[in-house]
Amino acid sequence: MKEGAQLTQVEAGHRYEVFHTDCPARDVVDHVTSRWGIWVLISLRSNDLRFYELRDSIQGISEKMLAQTLRALVKDGLLRREVEPTTPPQVTYGLTEFGQEIGEPLTDLFNRITQRLPPRSPG
């Protein structure tokens, strides 16, 4: 799949064989459901963020893992990457239309889980 490509159906009625190991949809699902992919998508649901803002919003992620996750999600067409030609360059990430479509049910899932958790005890 080329850089920034989105998965599309080749012809009307054609479906990807998602249970086959060579299906490109499996790579996208793996990236979205990876340890950090879901958190990146949820973090960007409200507004675009710069690299360090993302890193600070997702506690526990290393810069290396964030960079790898962002690279994969950009390649899958879920995120857009905008570089401002400053010194040093300022890089901002945001959801594409495809990323928003994928992020909505993930945000809903996250909200349902947090609503069902018992209240946190102070301390």
Side-chain angles (χ1 to χ4, degrees), residues 41-113:
L41 293 172
I42 290 172
S43 294
L44 292 170
R45 70 185 180 266
S46 301
N47 56 316
D48 298 352
L49 295 173
R50 295 198 3 221
F51 182 89
Y52 289 105
E53 292 172 322
L54 266 170
R55 187 201 61 198
D56 293 345
S57 73
I58 306 171
Q59 294 183 3
I61 192 169
S62 68
E63 287 188 21
K64 177 183 175 184
M65 285 309 303
L66 179 58
Q68 288 176 358
T69 302
L70 291 169
R71 196 175 306 116
L73 295 174
V74 167
K75 183 179 177 186
D76 292 338
L78 296 164
L79 301 182
R80 69 181 186 292
R81 180 180 187 267
E82 298 171 3
V83 180
E84 294 180 38
T86 59
T87 305
Q90 293 182 357
V91 181
T92 304
Y93 293 89
L95 296 176
T96 62
E97 185 178 333
F98 183 36
Q100 290 172 349
E101 290 175 12
I102 299 299
E104 286 175 19
L106 295 176
T107 299
D108 186 47
L109 174 66
F110 176 77
N111 290 338
R112 287 174 187 251
I113 290 170

Side-chain angles (χ1 to χ4, degrees), residues 1-18:
M1 189 161 39
K2 66 181 182 180
E3 184 86 0
Q6 291 185 20
L7 295 179
T8 57
Q9 292 185 349
V10 177
E11 48 189 75
H14 172 75
R15 297 191 47 95
Y16 285 100
E17 297 296 328
V18 296

